[in-house]
Amino acid sequence: MIEVDGTLKSRLAFWLLATVSVLGVLLLVEAYFSSQRAAERAYDSQLEAAALTIAEAIRWEGGQPVVEIPSAALQILATRHQERVFYAVLDAKGQTVSGNLDIGIPPEWRRRVSSQPTWLNDTYHGTQWRLYGRELDSAGWETQDPVQIWVGHTMSGRDALTEMLFEQAVTRFVIMVLLAGILMLLAMRVALAPIRRLRQQLRRRDADDMRPLDARVPEEMREMAETLDSLFMRQRDGREALLRFTADASHQLKTPLAGLQTTSELALQSDSPDAWRQALTEVHGSAGRTSRLASQLLSLARLRHAVEASATARIDAMALLHETTFDWAQRDVSQAHDIGLASLPASPQYIQGEAWALRELLGNLIDNALRYTPPGSVITLGAVCHAQTLELYIEDDGPGVPPETLAHLHRPFERGGRQDTEGSGLGLAIVDSIVRRHEARMQVESAQKNGLKIRLFFPYLTQHEEK
């Protein structure tokens, strides 16, 4: 039974969406940090420019630095976010020459700035500040004492610029996702087009059209297309085999029915009771053979067209072989033959199977041997234990069959070139169907004494199945 489990489009869309979502989260995280770094670079550049502007305004009077903060420096530090601004000029002793806030500059910071310009973050009255410090030498002036310039501002401008840059990145990302979604839908439609074409081609086919597919498919669909071609080929072979079987069965049934009609017509034209009795005897025998043929045809159809096997059981093959052989040996049809068992394994040998089918199998093997061997022939059944399989065999010392026909004896209505018997040619076909049903293997070969030997290999039960 076919159950619909979603669609390929939905599955592709889900996995693509999941992939895009994971990549999107990573890209958004990267976009946020990139925006943060860009804002820091922009505002750090402002602080550095403001520090250089203040440095150019330093003058020396009486051996002391005099600073008059230029308006250009304040304009550089001023932003539309109205941040609080800090500046300070320190002499060589760390004393404030000029400044607007009492943010303390620890000696450790001053030592770091003496070697290279430094960027620092600090908290003043509960507010985060970004500070930049650099030291200037006074070479060529009245004194050689260096001075340090510190500038800074609060973080609100940086945060605002980071948010603005991040919002722009998110907007671009959303637009790209929408465009990617549209392109994804178009790509899925184009990618799934071969499936739609193959489906339409299969729908347009007639029920009896078993020709190979004539379609261009991508590499991913090649195996499916080849599987469909293989299925069509098997259906074609099965249909042809069914037609041949029907024709052969019709021919096999037509012959005895025609004989019945001829015999009855001749009897009706005669007034002799002896002729009537002879005709009735012939009709009775022909009806029995026809009934047996019909029964075998029904058995073969049942075995070949059953969708599921019936309930299987754990069967002692030795007991079944002994019981079936003993039953056939007591029948009238077997009195002219010597039917017996070879030496069997002492312990029970179990296989998994259907009891009725295995009895049918053994019965057809014995019946075939009785019909195709002359009176007085010896028919022997036996079993051999192998490593992985249990072998059941039947062997006779009859005339055998030509070697070239051994491989075809399992076909319906195949008699091995014999036309002098009452056999229908369905016995081994039924045996072959039962063997396949039990996942076993049949081997037909010539016996050592000009007879025929049929060997059947059944798999042993596994330990799990035995339990």
Side-chain angles (χ1 to χ4, degrees), residues 214-366:
D214 183 14
R216 296 181 61 186
V217 296
E219 176 64 24
E220 291 76 9
M221 291 180 59
R222 179 178 61 84
E223 185 175 356
M224 183 181 70
E226 291 178 350
T227 303
L228 286 173
D229 278 342
S230 177
L231 175 62
F232 291 150
M233 182 179 67
R234 293 197 301 269
Q235 288 181 333
R236 183 172 61 250
D237 294 343
R239 182 170 177 269
E240 293 175 355
L242 178 60
L243 292 176
R244 288 194 303 269
F245 178 79
T246 303
D248 291 340
S250 300
H251 175 73
Q252 294 293 328
L253 288 172
K254 180 180 178 181
T255 301
L257 291 176
L260 286 173
Q261 183 178 8
T262 302
T263 302
S264 61
E265 287 178 352
L266 291 175
L268 289 174
Q269 294 175 3
S270 175
D271 296 331
S272 172
D274 293 337
W276 294 345
R277 182 176 180 82
Q278 182 180 0
L280 287 174
T281 303
E282 293 179 3
V283 167
H284 178 73
S286 181
R289 292 189 295 271
T290 305
S291 176
R292 180 177 178 276
L293 175 61
S295 177
Q296 286 187 315
L297 288 173
L298 289 175
S299 296
L300 186 59
R302 177 187 178 187
L303 291 168
R304 288 196 171 184
H305 299 285
V307 177
E308 296 181 355
S310 59
T312 60
R314 180 171 174 263
I315 298 173
D316 182 1
M318 299 301 97
L320 181 64
L321 183 62
H322 185 277
E323 175 188 342
T324 305
T325 304
F326 183 75
D327 176 54
W328 274 86
Q330 291 182 322
R331 298 185 183 185
D332 293 339
V333 70
S334 306
Q335 298 308 310
H337 293 73
D338 183 7
I339 300 179
L341 285 171
S343 178
L344 299 179
S347 60
Q349 303 296 322
Y350 294 99
I351 59 175
Q352 191 77 15
E354 302 168 285
W356 71 267
L358 293 175
R359 288 192 182 92
E360 182 84 6
L361 177 146
L362 293 174
N364 276 277
L365 288 176
I366 297 174

Side-chain angles (χ1 to χ4, degrees), residues 56-161:
E56 291 177 354
I58 297 177
R59 293 180 296 104
W60 291 83
E61 294 181 358
Q64 296 294 327
V66 177
V67 181
E68 196 172 310
I69 302 300
S71 60
L74 298 178
Q75 289 176 356
I76 293 173
L77 294 173
T79 65
R80 63 186 179 88
H81 300 288
Q82 299 182 355
E83 294 177 293
R84 297 178 63 186
V85 178
F86 163 75
Y87 62 88
V89 178
L90 308 180
D91 60 16
K93 297 179 181 180
Q95 301 297 322
T96 301
V97 177
S98 178
N100 65 334
L101 292 175
D102 59 348
I103 296 179
I105 306 298
E108 179 184 352
W109 292 7
R110 294 199 302 270
R111 285 194 296 270
R112 289 175 60 182
V113 171
S114 64
S115 60
Q116 62 180 4
T118 303
W119 303 93
L120 297 168
N121 291 329
D122 190 26
T123 302
Y124 178 68
H125 289 176
T127 304
Q128 287 288 331
W129 288 76
R130 176 70 168 174
L131 303 178
Y132 172 69
R134 67 179 302 165
E135 185 173 281
L136 297 175
D137 293 331
S138 58
W141 293 341
E142 296 178 3
T143 178
Q144 296 296 320
D145 293 335
V147 294
Q148 290 187 359
I149 301 173
W150 289 85
V151 293
H153 55 204
T154 55
M155 307 289 285
S156 59
R158 295 170 181 266
D159 295 339
L161 181 57

